[in-house]
Amino acid sequence: MPTVLIADDEPAIRRALREILEFEGYTVEEAVDGDEALEKARSGIDLLLLDIKMPKRDGMEVLQALHDAESTVPVVMISGHGTVETAVEATQLGAVDFLEKPPDLNRLLVTVRGALARGQLKVENVRLKQVVRDAGTSDLTPIVGDSPAIGRIQQTIERVAPSEARVLITGEPGTGKELVARHLHAQSPRADGPLVEVNCAAIPSELIESELFGHEKGSFTGATKQRIGKFEQADGGTLFLDEIGDMSLDAQAKVLRALQESRITRVGGDRSISVNVRVVAATNRDLLQQVDEKRFREDLYHRLSVILIHVPPLRERRGDIPDIARFILGQVMRRNGMTDKSFADGALTRLGQQEWRGNVRELRNVVERLLILSDGDEITAADVERYVIPSGSGGSAAGLIDRYDTLFEFRDHAEKLFIERKLDENDWNVSATAELIGIQRSHLYNKLKDLNIERPE
């Protein structure tokens, strides 16, 4: 339920408002003066009921400070000394309503519901404006970091992107292989053409041929209309084959033929179609080992690996973690319309000590968690200890346990963290993850829906 902050120096007023709001199911916090009200208003509340006459700072000064900070928290002024001039001034500073003491019960509840709805709209408006601004400048995320490994990757992209050479990107799940592919496309002469992405691990082997090459109407059961495949969709641009190591041998043979001839044939068709496509592939597997085990075609490997780019895991470039964490924090704050927050040096040091088995993808999830759950304007080392389940030793989950009152709430949260971690480890391959954790794929899909788990962008 939403959290309402009651800022009033009269205990009787605070108590009366608390009883009414808690009976309606709201979470209630209190502040006894203007300074405390301003501090708590910056820590993630949903609505502020603000008295005008208070010690230290009066309500108008608090409202002015929130207005100057472009706060999205809706404010309802309450006062026993209200005037038309004061109400007009409060409205100009962003207050959504003005209540006189003692407030009428029905009027209070209607005002609270309306103010919360307006607050949600304001936050969404800020988020959408930022999305539009981001889209207007560039939708290409920069490659963040100044480690030697990142420097080499950037230099390789600059040299290779203008060519037509095929590129094979290797690295653990979550390291940013897709980002490297996007930069290769963006810096190439094909940048104005399409970038078409295919997650080979997510497509059943019996459908991969139709997905890549398309099919004609009636070519198999369920083919009720013609389908254009990914090779045709990428004509004039770049085709990114992610997790190429999970492709079946039969599909590998057809991809090899398409690369050799620059032509494809739709499933069920008899016409050869010319395609002008640059292929960039990625994998978290050791393809040479798979070649030795006869699970990957050696001739296809050599076709794909004209240029090799390896993206190292975070644990091998820990110096990049502070810059990446700061970048993600700024990105998530802008997209959610949240107030400014920063990392304390101790927090960044503690993040740098984690193992990050899920790499940048796991770090993104953790940064978003810290942003939402931490108090104040700064994320501290204590916040990391409290809210981040450590990959290694030296951390405690006691703080996590303390946040839940029932076994069911804690179980759902722990289950969500476990599934997200295992999905990260398997690069969000649902089938592989279900097999790893010992449940049916359909059951895992239900869990993703019930726990509101979505793959990060």
Side-chain angles (χ1 to χ4, degrees), residues 365 404 407-423 428 433 437 439 442-455:
N365 292 340
Y404 297 97
L407 174 63
F408 298 104
E409 291 175 339
F410 178 78
R411 182 200 63 190
D412 286 347
H413 186 81
E415 195 173 54
K416 181 176 181 179
L417 291 176
F418 174 78
I419 291 174
E420 287 177 339
R421 170 66 65 85
K422 294 305 179 183
L423 285 166
W428 286 75
T433 302
I437 65 178
I439 64 175
S442 59
H443 186 40
L444 180 54
Y445 275 117
N446 290 335
K447 287 288 185 184
L448 300 185
K449 182 179 179 181
D450 293 342
L451 298 173
N452 196 27
I453 297 174
E454 296 181 355
R455 181 170 184 165

Side-chain angles (χ1 to χ4, degrees), residues 327-360:
F327 175 81
I328 293 172
L329 181 66
Q331 199 177 48
V332 175
M333 283 194 299
R334 290 192 301 271
R335 289 181 179 175
N336 288 278
M338 300 184 72
T339 56
D340 285 343
K341 225 173 218 188
S342 61
F343 280 108
D345 290 342
L348 292 172
T349 299
R350 190 66 185 90
L351 289 175
Q353 295 169 348
Q354 302 299 305
E355 285 303 307
W356 300 116
R357 294 175 61 186
N359 293 293
V360 178

Side-chain angles (χ1 to χ4, degrees), residues 39-99:
E39 180 181 352
K40 288 188 175 181
R42 292 168 172 166
S43 63
I45 64 168
D46 299 296
L47 174 64
L48 172 58
L49 298 181
L50 181 62
D51 187 24
I52 290 182
K53 299 295 184 182
M54 289 190 298
K56 297 185 179 179
R57 297 187 199 220
D58 66 26
M60 297 304 294
E61 290 174 317
V62 173
L63 185 61
Q64 180 72 58
L66 293 174
H67 178 268
D68 293 343
E70 299 182 354
S71 172
T72 57
V73 176
V75 180
V76 174
M77 306 301 292
I78 52 177
S79 177
H81 315 283
T83 64
V84 173
E85 291 78 9
T86 304
V88 170
E89 183 183 356
T91 302
Q92 290 173 340
L93 290 175
V96 299
D97 212 332
F98 197 99
L99 295 176

Side-chain angles (χ1 to χ4, degrees), residues 126-158:
V126 170
R127 188 190 70 81
L128 290 175
K129 284 182 177 179
Q130 185 58 48
V131 169
V132 171
R133 283 196 295 269
D134 288 346
T137 53
S138 173
D139 60 358
L140 184 64
T141 302
I143 298 176
V144 179
D146 57 6
S147 63
I150 292 300
R152 287 192 294 271
I153 290 173
Q154 291 172 329
Q155 290 174 1
T156 302
I157 291 173
E158 290 174 4

Side-chain angles (χ1 to χ4, degrees), residues 16-32:
L17 292 176
R18 172 184 280 276
E19 290 176 355
I20 294 169
L21 294 173
E22 286 186 337
F23 183 79
E24 293 295 319
Y26 297 106
T27 301
V28 178
E29 295 186 12
E30 296 182 13
V32 300

